């Protein structure tokens, strides 16, 4: 059961979430004095919170019973389901190829890199491409964009949306005779209306929003991607208690993985880089440490190779490690310029 559903005051719920206690199980084994110390409240108030939590947990358990445990699924069914489920194209053929066709649903994909490498550009591209109609090989879904840094640019989103429609128009005649009717539904304004934008300004807001997404997506079942840009920003500031930070991040990661699985959607986490002392020298690595790297299904690192942008599959249970070039153009993410030249020469 989520803390947000507890019949306690709003300030008490906020204190629990801020301390990293997002579910009843996360603090059920604590003593009232321990909880009081973490929340900076009196022992009596902590004891009352735990009493209410225990009572609510019993009610929730008696209502759900053993029915909350889902039946088993065979590995064959899982493989068939994974192969049949469409992926979200990045609009870069080379990048799609190393990703197995694009960003996969039911998975959490982390994409990190240095400033200016195109992380936000890729996030906006995915928020638009998830809306490509099923007739064109897309999902026909909607997007949630969580902006922690204020880097989302609606003018850029409009520019990429117009380019997406232009691309579909060029290949539409080859795909469907009645493609014109489909294109009329894909007006740039409609695309922007299908991106649900949330601006969060603190880590407590970020955690509260992640906890709220379950309810929001239940009411907007056509959401097929959740993008967090960036997942790191608020967790790299004003954190003296690293144990608290780890607890908060772990709870948030579990919630996002559950959202991806329960609603068959893709979760994309954009991450920043930091320096780490490795083998006698400082090297760039993705932020939040090694433990955070286990919180995602796939990890993609964006980097510069000379003047060209590259994406590298750093971690994945199903994709082999590989690199692919890509470009950030006026139309959005596309194949690298050098690759396009090679294709024309052939």
């Amino acid at each position: 059961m989520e803390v947000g559903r507890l019949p306690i005051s709003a300030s008490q719920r906020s204190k629990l979430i801020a301390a990293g206690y997002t579910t009843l199980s996360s603090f059920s084994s604590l003593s009232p004095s321990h909880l009081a110390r973490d929340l900076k409240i009196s022992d009596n108030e902590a004891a009352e919170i735990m009493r209410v939590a225990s009572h609510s947990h019993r009610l929730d358990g008696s209502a759900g019973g053993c029915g909350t445990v889902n039946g088993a699924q065979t590995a064959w069914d899982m493989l068939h389901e994974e192969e049949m489920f469409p992926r979200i194209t990045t609009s870069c053929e080379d990048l799609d190829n190393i990703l197995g066709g694009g960003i996969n649903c039911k998975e959490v994909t982390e994409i990190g890199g240095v400033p200016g490498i195109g992380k936000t550009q890729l996030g906006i591209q995915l928020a638009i491409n998830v809306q490509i109609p099923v007739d064109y090989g897309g999902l026909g879904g909607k997007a949630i964009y969580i902006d922690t840094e204020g880097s989302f640019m609606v003018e850029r989103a409009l520019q990429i949306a117009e380019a997406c429609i232009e691309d579909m128009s060029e290949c539409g005649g080859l795909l469907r005779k009645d493609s014109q009717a489909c294109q009329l539904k894909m007006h740039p304004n409609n695309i922007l209306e299908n991106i649900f934008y949330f601006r969060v300004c603190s880590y407590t807001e970020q955690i509260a929003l992640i906890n709220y997404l379950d309810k929001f997506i239940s009411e907007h079942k056509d959401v097929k991607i959740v993008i967090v840009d960036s997942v790191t920003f608020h967790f790299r500031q004003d954190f003296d208690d690293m144990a608290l930070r780890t607890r908060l991040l772990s709870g948030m990661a579990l919630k996002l993985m559950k959202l991806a699985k329960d609603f068959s959607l893709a979760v994309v986490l954009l991450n920043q880089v930091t320096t780490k002392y490795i083998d006698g020298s400082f090297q760039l690595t993705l932020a939040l440490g090694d433990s955070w790297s286990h919180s995602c299904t796939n990890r993609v690192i964006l980097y510069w190779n000379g003047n060209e942008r590259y994406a590298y599959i750093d971690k994945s249970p199903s994709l082999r490690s590989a690199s692919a070039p890509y470009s950030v153009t006026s139309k959005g993410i596309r194949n690298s310029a050098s690759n396009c030249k090679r294709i024309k020469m052939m």
Side-chain angles (χ1 to χ4, degrees), residues 98 107 296-299 313-321:
I98 66 170
E107 292 181 353
C296 56
T297 315
N298 308 301
R299 171 175 267 196
I313 306 294
D314 181 61
K315 170 209 162 187
S316 175
S318 57
L319 303 171
R320 66 180 180 85
S321 294

Side-chain angles (χ1 to χ4, degrees), residues 79-266:
L79 177 63
H80 181 67
E81 182 180 281
E82 184 175 323
E83 290 176 343
M84 292 297 292
F85 213 88
R87 295 172 181 255
I88 305 168
T89 179
T90 63
S91 290
C92 172
E93 186 179 356
D94 293 333
L95 184 50
D96 282 349
N97 286 340
I98 66 170
L99 288 169
I103 299 295
N104 201 9
C105 291
K106 286 198 169 186
E107 292 181 353
V108 178
T109 300
E110 179 186 27
I111 301 174
V114 296
I117 196 67
K119 299 185 297 295
T120 297
Q121 301 286 327
L122 181 54
I124 295 173
Q125 185 76 64
L126 292 170
I128 289 165
N129 287 358
V130 74
Q131 302 180 47
I132 294 175
V134 175
D135 292 333
Y136 287 79
L139 274 69
K142 296 182 180 181
I144 291 174
Y145 201 102
I146 301 172
D147 186 2
T148 67
E149 301 182 36
S151 55
F152 182 87
M153 300 161 288
V154 68
E155 296 85 1
R156 179 61 171 150
L158 178 61
Q159 191 178 27
I160 295 175
E162 290 171 343
C164 180
I165 294 174
E166 183 181 328
D167 288 345
M168 286 195 297
S169 177
E170 290 177 358
C171 66
L174 300 175
L175 294 173
R176 287 179 59 89
K177 293 180 180 178
D178 56 342
S179 59
Q180 186 176 0
C182 188
Q183 290 167 27
L184 291 174
K185 299 177 183 178
M186 290 290 289
H187 190 276
N189 293 351
N190 300 130
I191 291 179
L192 296 185
E193 287 176 357
N194 290 333
I195 300 175
F196 300 108
Y197 174 81
F198 295 90
R199 177 74 169 100
V200 295
C201 300
S202 68
Y203 78 87
T204 52
E205 284 186 18
Q206 186 171 335
I207 292 169
L209 175 57
I210 297 298
N211 289 330
Y212 168 68
L213 286 184
D214 198 325
K215 182 176 184 298
F216 184 87
I217 297 172
S218 295
E219 297 170 354
H220 301 82
K221 294 188 181 296
D222 43 5
V223 168
K224 289 302 174 186
I225 191 170
V226 174
I227 301 157
V228 185
D229 179 15
S230 69
V231 70
T232 321
F233 185 69
H234 295 305
F235 290 91
R236 298 184 70 182
Q237 307 173 40
D238 303 325
F239 260 101
D240 297 324
D241 188 348
M242 299 308 291
L244 169 62
R245 190 182 87 157
T246 300
R247 191 163 64 235
L248 289 169
L249 287 169
S250 297
M252 185 177 64
L254 287 172
K255 185 68 177 178
L256 289 169
M257 286 188 281
K258 190 173 186 299
L259 284 173
K261 183 176 181 297
D262 290 350
F263 294 101
S264 298
L265 54 81

